[in-house]
Amino acid sequence: MKLPFKGVIDCDLHLPSPPTTALLPYLPTHWRDQLETRFIHKMNFQLTSYPPNSPLTCREDWRAKKGDGESDLDRLRRQALDPFGVDIAVASLLHGAIALFNEDMAAALCSAVNDFVAHEWLDPEPRLRGSILITGQNTDHAVAEIERLAHDKRFVQVILPVMGDMLPGKRQMWPIYRACERHGLALALHAGSTYRFPTTGSGWPSFQVEDYIANSAGFENAIVSLLSEGVFSECPNLRVICLEGGFGWLPTLIWRLNKEWRGIRQEVPWITRQPGDILRERFRFTLQPVEVPDAALIARIIGHIGSDDLLLFSTDYPHAHFEGVEALPDGLPEALIRKITRDNPLAAYPRLSGGASANQPEKAEQRS
Amino acid sequence: MNVPLPSVTSAQKIGIVDCDIHPVQRSAADLYPYMSQRWREHSEMFGPHIRQGLTGMQVYPRMMAAGQRADSYPAGGGPPGSDLDLMRSQHLDAVGVEWGMLVALSKGGMEERNPDFATVLSHAVNDWQRHDWVAKEPRLLAGVVVPQEDADFCVKEIHLRAQDKAFKQIIISPRSAEPLGRRRYWPIFAAAQECGLPIGLHPAAFSGGAPSTSAGWPTYYMQEHYAFCTGMQGNIVSMIFEGVFEQFPNLKIALIESGFTWMPAMCWRMDAAFERMRKEVPHLKRRPSEYIRDHFWFATQPMEEPENPAHLPEIIEWIGWDKLLFSTDYPHWDYDDPRYCIRFRMTDAQRSMLFRDNARALYGLP
Amino acid sequence: MTRQLNRHVIGRADDLPPGSRKLVQVAGREIGVFNVHGAFYALANRCPHGGGSLCEGFVTGLSISAHPGKYELVREGEFLRCPLHGWEFEIATGQSYCDPKNTRLRTFNASVEHGAELVKGPYVAESFEVKIEEDYIVLDL
Ligand code: FES
């Protein structure tokens, strides 16, 4: 169904990956030279998780028409912001730099992408919020990038692929989470893999659709990792936003972890309350793709999860999950829609908690 | 969940089929009567050769008594699951097992890297199940353990054992070298279908090459244990999307010890992805959830324990009461006692299906 | 006192030194009697979680952590870990550590009394060798 009111917060929206030449002005001279002389600037850095022409990567009617002269920004406004009555959209640019093994080149490109986003998207379009893209393979680079951009309050989260260089709970990753917590940035885990490891525990499947389905397992193991390693003992205020991984699998995750914890908590004695309770407090999940088939089942799943605070509205634009502007499952009760489109997102992101008109940060600041 | 322990349920009166019992060798020597001198020597000199950094123990050491019920160690020595008398008194008799399906995970060659040794182990473990267990205890039934990476051998061994009524299913490792739907494994499915034996998939402790998660190796057993679920999911998705069930319309799969509550959500997820991506997999004639409905069964242990026990039967409704197989996982630490592990109401019909009838139908038991 | 009616002598106190335990059958029930640092406690030998023979589990302490990666075992000898799924129970109270509100084990009163006092009671278990000068463990059921 359509959104019944305007002023929603879209928590997962994607900016198109620019031609690499567009990043050159944002790169230090060494890397600009490297890209140009190695012809890397002619390469497109498209992630294998999102092959450009796949029916999932972009809805057919949202694809750019060659030669129509419309700018990327205008297209985004016309297709993703205006029709859904978006007040705030938390945008990310899932750039393929994160899949490189050269961690210095990856970090330089991530910085360029972040500056590109700030100048080309956040400056002209006040409804957009940004995600700081980092490379997870080098914590020093990642923390430096967060520190470099933390002053810009339009960045509301730090983003990593859910299947990256290591399970996200690993202690090597903690400096990143400390930086997030220090600056009130959420940690966003987005569907997708850098393909450091096979997408299943039995190796590589044959088809792209299998990799896409495997994202839920990726999220489950990532969450189990963050919880069992004790990340929330270290960073009790860290908020983790799980993007595009679904939520139908949450009840099993909560039940199993709670049961497991009772029997084998001595292995992870820093967990001093039910892992499911920590999960309900610290993790949030975006709506699209809604796999749960109808509103009645969604209500049951929310009942099994034991909280309706966890879902955040998303279109996942331009990934293809619904037709027209029917961004909500049919029959969702209005009170729940209000929660997931406004209340939950505002509560989820420390940097959005300024109030309802967070799209006008100045006003929000005056009020507080 | 205030623990008014259910009084002993009528499970016992029904007589249950336990779909997950682990027999274990006292030592490798238990298999020596069933292998040649050349391989006995190999076993003694070289031992198993698997894909992890420790031999003779797990790299994720278990929490409770090496992963066993601490009370299942036989008084006379030997590991849990190696003493038939104790298995009888502590488990089969105590909880009223009518049929017990053996899942012989130990030393069956499923993860052995030496391909010839793998086949020798497989053949020996199948002989051992036959002579040391089923012949002595008629309530027990065997599963043909085969090393899935050697499909040619698997086919021979399956055809050989299928003539023996002691064998009711085929056991292969879901920690295979590649996802199980890949075509290299299809000869196994063909043999299974031809012999009318279901395939039982039980999580394995040892990797077939890939880390247990798609973001690498976990740190703790708590994580590794969770990956039993996600690891199984990858295989199911693979079998469905590769078209295994288009090719083998009578193939039946029992998922053992990998959870069942995630299955409805996985069906929804697969169907939604299929909807968008069907052009990539035009060989699929039906929605993924329909293959699940027709080809998969689910063993119950470890039973989930939601804060509200009534949530569990809701999930079972979505899966179908006819698809659950009761299992205990004896003698492992997360054993489900049939007298206590069901914390929600069932009708008599549901109880019979869950504890006995579904398994009888799947495995063709009297 | 009616409680007096259900008193059972289960053994000599000095047969059960600190850190040891004894499994007894009393009135058709299996009960584990524990000596924890000199104090006696008795628990039903049936785990409230799933029926495990709880009193045969490991007697241990409590693993706690000030911070991930820091481990400490405290209150050694005061906890019992079920041999099945490993849930931990405080021996003194029968309370589950992870779920103290909802999961509680049946506890019984175990005390040490002078043999001299016991022989006066109406139900001294005759099968026990009562020695006046010894102390006995008595179970209230
Ligand atoms: S039966 Fe004791 S912990 Fe489960």
Side-chain angles (χ1 to χ4, degrees):
Chain A
M1 64 186 269
K2 293 185 183 51
L3 287 147
F5 42 77
K6 286 193 177 305
V8 303
I9 300 174
D10 182 350
C11 297
D12 187 24
L13 167 148
H14 299 295
L15 306 174
S17 206
T20 303
T21 47
L23 298 176
L24 292 175
Y26 298 99
L27 282 165
T29 49
H30 167 76
W31 289 113
R32 199 183 310 155
D33 173 71
Q34 284 287 295
L35 263 62
E36 284 178 336
T37 57
R38 293 163 74 177
F39 290 1
I40 299 169
H41 68 305
K42 299 180 179 184
M43 299 168 190
N44 67 4
F45 285 94
Q46 199 77 41
L47 288 166
T48 300
S49 292
Y50 294 97
N53 297 325
S54 155
L56 255 168
T57 304
C58 186
R59 226 170 77 177
E60 276 319 302
D61 59 325
W62 282 340
R63 286 189 187 278
K65 306 250 178 337
K66 276 215 175 71
D68 67 358
E70 189 178 33
S71 72
D72 286 346
L73 177 59
D74 284 342
R75 189 177 320 102
L76 184 93
R77 285 175 172 147
R78 179 175 60 80
Q79 294 180 335
L81 300 180
D82 300 340
F84 300 103
V86 169
D87 195 355
I88 300 172
V90 180
S92 55
L93 199 163
L94 300 177
H95 193 268
I98 55 173
L100 290 170
F101 282 102
N102 179 332
E103 57 197 44
D104 298 331
M105 186 193 289
L109 279 163
C110 283
S111 296
V113 167
N114 292 329
D115 289 342
F116 171 86
V117 168
H119 289 108
E120 316 262 339
W121 291 95
L122 305 185
D123 282 353
E125 179 44 73
R127 285 173 288 185
L128 292 178
R129 296 294 179 279
S131 309
I132 300 175
L133 185 73
I134 57 171
T135 169
Q137 59 190 316
N138 181 313
T139 312
D140 292 342
H141 284 328
V143 171
E145 183 65 0
I146 295 169
E147 295 294 345
R148 188 178 74 87
L149 294 173
H151 70 91
D152 185 344
K153 303 289 184 216
R154 298 172 305 177
F155 286 105
V156 300
Q157 63 188 8
V158 169
I159 197 163
L160 283 168
V162 69
M163 297 177 269
D165 292 274
M166 66 188 95
L167 280 164
K170 283 282 189 189
R171 287 186 201 153
Q172 294 99 299
M173 301 287 280
W174 290 16
I176 297 172
Y177 308 146
R178 290 190 204 109
C180 286
E181 196 185 38
R182 200 158 55 235
H183 295 295
L185 289 157
L187 168 70
L189 297 177
H190 195 283
S193 174
T194 49
Y195 290 90
R196 300 293 197 247
F197 306 100
T199 47
T200 87
S202 316
W204 299 100
S206 304
F207 303 113
Q208 294 176 10
V209 63
E210 295 180 77
D211 282 3
Y212 191 72
I213 293 167
N215 276 307
S216 60
F219 276 103
E220 289 173 73
N221 287 314
I223 292 169
V224 174
S225 168
L226 287 162
L227 286 168
S228 53
E229 298 263 7
V231 166
F232 302 99
S233 304
E234 174 73 5
C235 301
N237 298 313
L238 181 69
R239 178 85 67 190
V240 184
I241 318 278
C242 298
L243 301 167
E244 203 188 332
F247 56 91
W249 39 268
L250 270 171
T252 296
L253 180 69
I254 292 171
W255 297 340
R256 275 186 102 83
L257 281 180
N258 284 350
K259 179 175 178 182
E260 200 91 321
W261 173 67
R262 285 168 190 221
I264 62 180
R265 59 145 217 104
Q266 305 94 7
E267 191 186 29
V268 288
W270 38 87
I271 305 184
T272 52
R273 56 196 174 118
Q274 291 202 95
D277 292 346
I278 305 175
L279 183 152
R280 282 187 281 249
E281 189 186 294
R282 302 319 318 165
F283 288 85
R284 296 295 180 265
F285 303 85
T286 57
L287 182 70
Q288 291 290 355
V290 192
E291 306 137 348
V292 188
D294 60 51
L297 287 172
I298 290 174
R300 303 273 283 278
I301 294 293
I302 288 177
H304 293 180
I305 292 170
S307 171
D308 60 2
D309 294 338
L310 272 55
L311 292 185
L312 309 177
F313 172 70
S314 68
T315 58
D316 194 22
Y317 172 90
H319 300 165
H321 306 299
F322 57 88
E323 306 306 329
V325 288
E326 314 269 319
L328 293 173
D330 282 341
L332 223 53
E334 178 136 349
L336 182 62
I337 297 173
R338 205 160 283 282
K339 277 212 80 158
I340 68 176
T341 58
R342 296 282 315 171
D343 305 348
N344 290 350
L346 288 175
Y349 297 87
R351 289 192 168 191
L352 289 192
S353 318
S357 37
N359 64 333
Q360 293 144 345
E362 316 81 38
K363 275 191 200 159
E365 272 161 26
Q366 278 163 18
R367 240 184 295 140
S368 59
Chain B
M1 200 180 59
N2 203 349
V3 191
L5 261 187
S7 55
V8 176
T9 67
S10 37
Q12 261 174 310
K13 286 177 223 144
I14 298 178
I16 64 170
V17 181
D18 178 357
C19 292
D20 190 17
I21 297 179
H22 299 296
V24 176
Q25 301 86 21
R26 280 165 299 180
S27 73
D30 279 2
L31 297 181
Y32 292 169
Y34 309 113
M35 56 177 79
S36 68
Q37 185 59 28
R38 180 250 188 271
W39 289 109
R40 276 178 227 152
E41 278 169 19
H42 179 94
S43 172
E44 287 298 311
M45 194 174 296
F46 301 105
H49 190 37
I50 57 178
R51 297 167 191 83
Q52 67 164 36
L54 287 169
T55 183
M57 69 173 281
Q58 286 152 332
V59 286
Y60 295 99
R62 297 337 194 208
M63 293 302 291
M64 171 59 65
Q68 315 295 325
R69 287 174 55 151
D71 59 359
S72 68
Y73 283 78
S82 65
D83 182 328
L84 178 57
D85 286 334
L86 182 60
M87 183 188 286
R88 283 187 181 121
S89 64
Q90 183 171 48
H91 178 51
L92 302 177
D93 299 341
V95 306
V97 173
E98 181 181 80
W99 295 110
M101 310 301 296
L102 296 177
V103 179
L105 295 179
S106 179
K107 301 187 175 66
M110 290 187 289
E111 52 271 319
E112 173 59 41
R113 284 161 61 188
N114 177 324
D116 294 326
F117 192 35
T119 63
V120 167
L121 286 170
S122 156
H123 192 80
V125 155
N126 293 329
D127 276 346
W128 170 77
Q129 291 184 75
R130 183 73 190 84
H131 298 295
D132 293 26
W133 293 89
V134 180
K136 294 178 181 162
E137 174 47 71
R139 283 175 288 184
L140 296 176
L141 294 164
V144 191
V145 175
V146 285
Q148 66 284 337
E149 309 312 330
D150 184 346
D152 290 346
F153 168 80
C154 292
V155 169
K156 276 187 241 138
E157 184 72 9
I158 291 166
H159 280 288
L160 173 72
R161 302 295 175 180
Q163 298 158 21
D164 181 345
K165 290 285 166 254
F167 290 89
K168 296 297 184 196
Q169 68 182 331
I170 296 156
I171 303 288
I172 56 177
S173 171
R175 290 303 294 282
S176 35
E178 295 190 65
L180 282 174
R182 300 266 296 170
R183 286 176 207 155
R184 61 191 285 179
Y185 303 113
W186 286 23
I188 301 173
F189 305 141
Q193 176 171 280
E194 208 181 317
C195 298
L197 292 175
I199 292 194
L201 297 179
H202 184 295
F206 304 106
S207 165
S212 38
T213 90
S214 48
W217 298 102
T219 308
Y220 302 108
Y221 171 61
M222 184 167 177
Q223 301 167 264
E224 173 73 2
H225 196 225
Y226 191 86
F228 285 9
C229 296
T230 52
M232 197 61 94
Q233 291 167 6
N235 282 306
I236 291 161
V237 171
S238 170
M239 294 179 86
I240 288 174
F241 280 85
E242 295 272 359
V244 167
F245 303 103
E246 285 299 329
Q247 188 74 19
F248 306 106
N250 298 318
L251 186 63
K252 294 173 177 169
I253 312 285
L255 301 185
I256 306 167
E257 203 183 343
S258 27
F260 61 89
T261 54
W262 45 265
M263 189 40 92
M266 180 48 81
C267 285
W268 301 330
R269 185 170 177 80
M270 286 191 293
D271 284 357
F274 174 63
E275 198 59 44
R276 289 283 159 189
M277 297 286 282
R278 59 198 313 162
K279 284 200 172 127
E280 193 195 14
V281 283
H283 48 277
L284 295 195
K285 303 291 178 252
R286 307 161 69 196
R287 295 190 309 158
S289 60
E290 296 172 43
Y291 298 110
I292 294 283
R293 186 76 191 91
D294 288 351
H295 296 277
F296 286 86
W297 281 257
F298 310 94
T300 51
Q301 181 278 343
M303 188 71 78
E304 305 297 352
E305 296 172 32
E307 286 143 302
N308 177 354
H311 287 156
L312 213 41
E314 284 185 37
I315 302 258
I316 299 176
E317 290 294 335
W318 297 339
I319 295 175
W321 280 94
D322 56 333
K323 304 315 288 279
L324 292 191
L325 309 170
F326 182 76
S327 59
T328 66
D329 200 22
Y330 181 86
H332 291 174
W333 73 281
D334 41 355
Y335 178 85
D336 274 344
D337 188 321
R339 297 167 296 182
Y340 308 114
C341 71
I342 310 282
R343 293 169 173 81
F344 51 86
R345 270 183 220 298
M346 291 188 286
T347 65
D348 285 346
Q350 289 166 342
R351 187 185 309 279
S352 309
M353 281 194 276
L354 183 137
F355 277 116
R356 185 191 61 196
D357 296 345
N358 296 339
R360 273 191 184 169
L362 173 64
Y363 294 117
L365 310 178
Chain C
M1 266 180 87
T2 49
R3 289 182 71 88
Q4 289 282 88
L5 294 176
N6 300 317
R7 313 190 79 200
H8 304 264
V9 177
I10 60 108
R12 286 160 41 155
D14 56 7
D15 285 345
L16 202 67
S20 64
R21 75 183 116 176
K22 179 174 181 171
L23 211 56
V24 297
Q25 292 272 354
V26 176
R29 283 204 179 91
E30 276 208 341
I31 291 173
V33 183
F34 297 80
N35 182 338
V36 179
H37 309 320
F40 290 87
Y41 304 101
L43 302 170
N45 188 26
R46 192 164 77 144
C47 178
H49 170 233
S53 305
L54 179 60
C55 295
E56 293 160 60
F58 298 105
V59 172
T60 64
L62 204 56
S63 297
I64 59 166
S65 167
H67 192 258
K70 300 267 179 282
Y71 305 83
E72 199 184 346
L73 189 72
V74 297
R75 300 181 60 192
E76 255 189 284
E78 297 179 30
F79 284 81
L80 187 57
R81 211 173 282 165
C82 178
L84 257 68
H85 314 112
W87 289 26
E88 301 153 288
F89 294 86
E90 187 181 35
I91 296 172
T93 61
Q95 265 188 354
S96 148
Y97 175 74
C98 284
D99 189 19
K101 279 198 296 292
N102 296 318
T103 307
R104 207 192 173 101
L105 185 63
R106 183 85 195 268
T107 61
F108 305 96
N109 237 352
S111 55
V112 178
E113 304 198 358
H114 287 291
E117 291 163 20
L118 282 173
V119 277
K120 293 177 201 145
Y123 286 95
V124 179
E126 287 169 2
S127 56
F128 287 92
E129 187 193 353
V130 180
K131 284 199 194 129
I132 305 292
E133 50 299 326
E134 295 286 349
D135 290 343
Y136 288 83
I137 304 165
V138 177
L139 211 52
D140 287 344
L141 220 57

